[in-house]
Structure formats: C-alpha cells, structure tokens
Amino acid sequence: MSEPWDCVIVGAGAAGLFCAGIAGQLGLRVLVIDHAPKVAEKIRISGGGRCNFTNRDAAPANYLGENPHFCRSALARYTPADFIDLLKRYAIPFHEKHKGQLFCDRSAEDVIEMLLAECEAGRVTRWQPCKVLDVRATPTGFEIDTDRGTQSAARVVVATGGLSIPKIGATDFGFRLAKQFGHRVIEPRPALVPLTFDAPTWAAFAPLSGIALEVHIETGSGKKPMRFLEDLLFTHRGLSGPAVLQISSFWQPGQPLRIDLAPGRDVGALLREAKGKSKRQLGNEVAALLPQRLADAWLARADVDASTPMPQTRDKELAALGAALSRWELTPDGSEGWRKAEVTAGGVDTRELNQQSMESKRQPGLHFIGEVVDVTGWLGGYNFQWAWASAAACARAM
Ligand code: FDA
C-alpha cells in the first residue's frame, strides 16, 4: 500500500474539485477519484454550456431540506462574492442574466479549467476513470479499495453528487456509503424537473408545445404556499421552463399547481374595458393579451365563440374568462424524472453532519459535501454556490 493520503475525495465534480484545491493548497496530500472518464461533466453542461456558477443574492432562504438552518454557516463563510473574486483572479469574463444569476461569457470550460488549476496549485492527485470498490474505517482513518489498488487516508470526503442525469455518471454511491456508516438518507427525489400530466388531461394542451410566457405559479396550501414569478414553457408531455422547474422542488404528488397566466393583469377587467371601445372579435382581444395559440386554446376550452364581436360579449363571460386565466388549477401526474432533473432533493440527513466541517457525527473523518447532502437550491446558480460553500467549509476544517 502506498503512503497514506491526508484525504481521499470521491467525486471530481464541482464540490470535489473545489474542496481538493483548497485542501491541497492548505498543505494536505489529496487524492481525488472519479469513475467517469471526463472531469466535471455536470459543470460542462450546466447553464446551457455557460455555467450559472453562482447567484449574487444566494441566501439560506433559497435552499430546501429537512433541516433548513444547516446551510447557514457554510454559506456565510464562503459567499458568492468569494467565488466571484476567484473568477476575477483568473480573468474569467462573466455576466448577470436574470435575478442575480451569473454566467460565464465564454463557456463553462472556464470554470472547469480554473478548478483544475486550483487543484494543480495544491498538488492534488486525480485518478480518473477509477472505481471505488469499498471504503472501510480503520483505527487511523480509512482504507479505500479502488481498481488501482487499496489506498489509506486519514479522511474521506464524499462528493459524488445526486442521481440526476445517470448517463453522465450519477450514481447512488454517496447514499450507499452514508447508509453503510449508519447515516439516515432522506429519500432522494428529482427536483428542478419538468412536470407531466396524464395523456387525457394533456391532450388539449399538447398542441401548445413551444409556447413560453411569464406566469405566477404556486403550490402548497396554508399560510405560506410557495410562489414564483418566472417563465412557463408548454411541452408535448407537460410543463417546463424556469417557473415549473422552481415549483417542482416544492410540489408534492397529488397536489395541484395554481397558475396565473396573466400575472399583474386583470384580464376580465381589460376585456370589459375593451368591450366599450372595440368592435373587434373576442378572439383578437384575448390574443392581444396572450400568445395567439394559447388565446385560441383558452377560448375553445371555455366554450366561448372567439368570433363574437366584442359589443355582443356578456360581462359575466368575460369575467369568467379572466378568472380562468388567472387561476388555472391542474394536478401533475409526475415528473420527467432523473433523466431531466437538474438536481436531487433529499440526500444525507444534515442532522447527522457537523455544519462547520460537513463531517459525519457518526464516523469521524468522513465528510459529505455538495449535492449528496440534503440541501437543495432553487434554480439560478444556488446549487453551485452550495457546492463551493460546503466544499470550502470541509476543506478548511480538515
Ligand atoms: P457533481 O454531480 O458535480 O459531481 C459528482 C461527481 O461524482 C461526478 O463527477 C461523478 O462522476 C462522480 N461520481 C458519482 N458516483 C461516483 C462513484 N461511484 N465513484 C466515483 N465517482 C463518482 N446548478 C447551478 O447552480 N447552476 C447551473 O447552471 C446548473 N445547471 C445544471 C444543468 C444540468 C443539466 C444539470 C443536470 C445540473 C445543473 N446544475 C446547476 C446543478 C449542479 O450541476 C449540481 O448541483 C452540482 O454539479 C453538484 O455538485 P457536486 O460536486 O455535488 O456533484
């Protein structure tokens, strides 16, 4: 067996590489192992290839998990401004797109190259592709069986991410290892994912595929339903776009979604107003407020004759049309699943981790960082910020 490592990190994704670079630069002897042939593939495909690497406004309120305060400490100690400073040191150009979301100007490769350079500066060793076969606790740390032989290390960091996009290397390794060491794993479920509807429900809407518009979307009941103002996209199988990806993390099977297709506008009142001035057909007036195909579908659904001249419409009918548009209620039958989910909600229960160091409270020397942990960010750069922050907390505590 070779000389023991201070730390073996399993997973060369966002969290694993970032943790390795910091730990290496702090003087630790670090080995990173990943079974995938290509490094950091999820960063490469993120943000449409431009990597939405953080959100300027990231705060604990943008994360969900069974133990919502857990992420506070790490997020406060490694902030979006810290990651922005790092990018600036590497002269990586970036821009803000929408609601604090920061993207690379050129390509996600810039972020990957930067993480690899940070690893190089920390003399990190990376084995890839390399399989981890078993991890055992020993009196001095761990033994890690790999297909390049058995390694020993004082610490093991699990950075194997979640279950989404299995074709680029996602596995349940982290969850299995957590359970092996007695950890509770909160049932992983696809999040930031398009939602689907049963075929008969969706038949009337499938022809709207491709239409995008800004909506208010809401789910949940009680005093605090979850609500987002974002773009909605109609697809052949259901709904997608930022509005639906955001709400999907909060949606519970069986619950309805409530969608306002004309947020901030009282369509009923606008149509009644138009009635006083316009001789056009109702269909034309509705199409002035909504995308044409959606307007047509809506009128057909409401069983209203689109060719009715405005002066002949009934106020009650116009009010009902407006109300139906502002409170469209429908219940998804599921989601597009791991194939399309951007992240995994659930994961290693944070009540059994130290929030300063991400270290297991059950097995000293074992750490969990990034998406494998039950901390899930909203859409918009929050998940990478968690990867950076949890990795930094772990690396600095080792
Ligand atoms: P990550 O998935 O990055 O890395 C895990 C690594 O572990 C992988 O390299 C994998 O091969 C390796 N691994 C898994 N099992 C293993 C095993 N058994 N042995 C060895 N290695 C193993 N977030 C965001 O903030 N902004 C964005 O723009 C996007 N965009 C985006 C687009 C798409 C299509 C997806 C799927 C996801 C996003 N995300 C995102 C989410 C973001 O990519 C994700 O939250 C982070 O990559 C999580 O970082 P981790 O390091 O935890 O896992």
Side-chain angles (χ1 to χ4, degrees), residues 141-157:
F142 299 89
E143 273 178 8
I144 303 108
D145 293 339
T146 80
D147 59 12
R148 298 194 195 181
T150 298
Q151 302 297 307
S152 65
R155 292 177 182 275
V156 167
V157 178

Side-chain angles (χ1 to χ4, degrees), residues 9-18 33-55 63 102-103 127-128 130-133 158-165 168-174 176 192 338-344 369-373 375 377-388 390-391:
I9 299 176
V10 189
L17 289 178
F18 196 56
I33 301 176
D34 200 298
H35 69 151
K38 278 174 99 176
V39 70
E41 192 60 2
K42 243 180 223 173
I43 300 181
R44 194 167 283 109
I45 62 168
S46 67
R50 291 245 165 103
C51 185
N52 177 195
F53 54 81
T54 192
N55 191 297
Y63 294 85
L102 301 185
F103 288 77
W127 289 354
Q128 196 166 3
C130 175
K131 282 203 171 73
V132 175
L133 308 169
V158 182
T160 45
L163 296 176
S164 50
I165 326 276
I168 58 165
T171 72
D172 65 352
F173 175 90
R176 279 189 284 117
L192 301 184
W338 297 117
R339 208 171 45 87
K340 289 277 181 76
E342 281 204 8
V343 290
T344 297
I369 59 172
E371 202 180 309
V372 75
V373 169
V375 173
W378 291 8
L379 183 77
Y382 302 99
N383 285 293
F384 279 134
Q385 186 56 36
W386 171 246
W388 319 135
S390 58

Side-chain angles (χ1 to χ4, degrees), residues 18 74 124 131 181 207 291 356 361 369:
F18 196 56
V124 171
K131 282 203 171 73
F181 284 98
Q356 306 289 325
K361 291 180 183 171
I369 59 172

Side-chain angles (χ1 to χ4, degrees), residues 14 59 97 99 105 110 125 133 143 147 178 213 227 238 245 247 257 260 278 292 295 314-315 350 353 375:
K97 215 170 173 180
K99 298 186 176 173
D105 285 357
D110 280 349
T125 302
L133 308 169
E143 273 178 8
D147 59 12
L213 75 165
R227 196 160 205 243
L245 300 188
I247 212 75
L257 303 176
D260 181 349
S278 163
Q292 175 82 55
R314 291 189 314 201
D315 284 359
T350 56
L353 300 179
V375 173

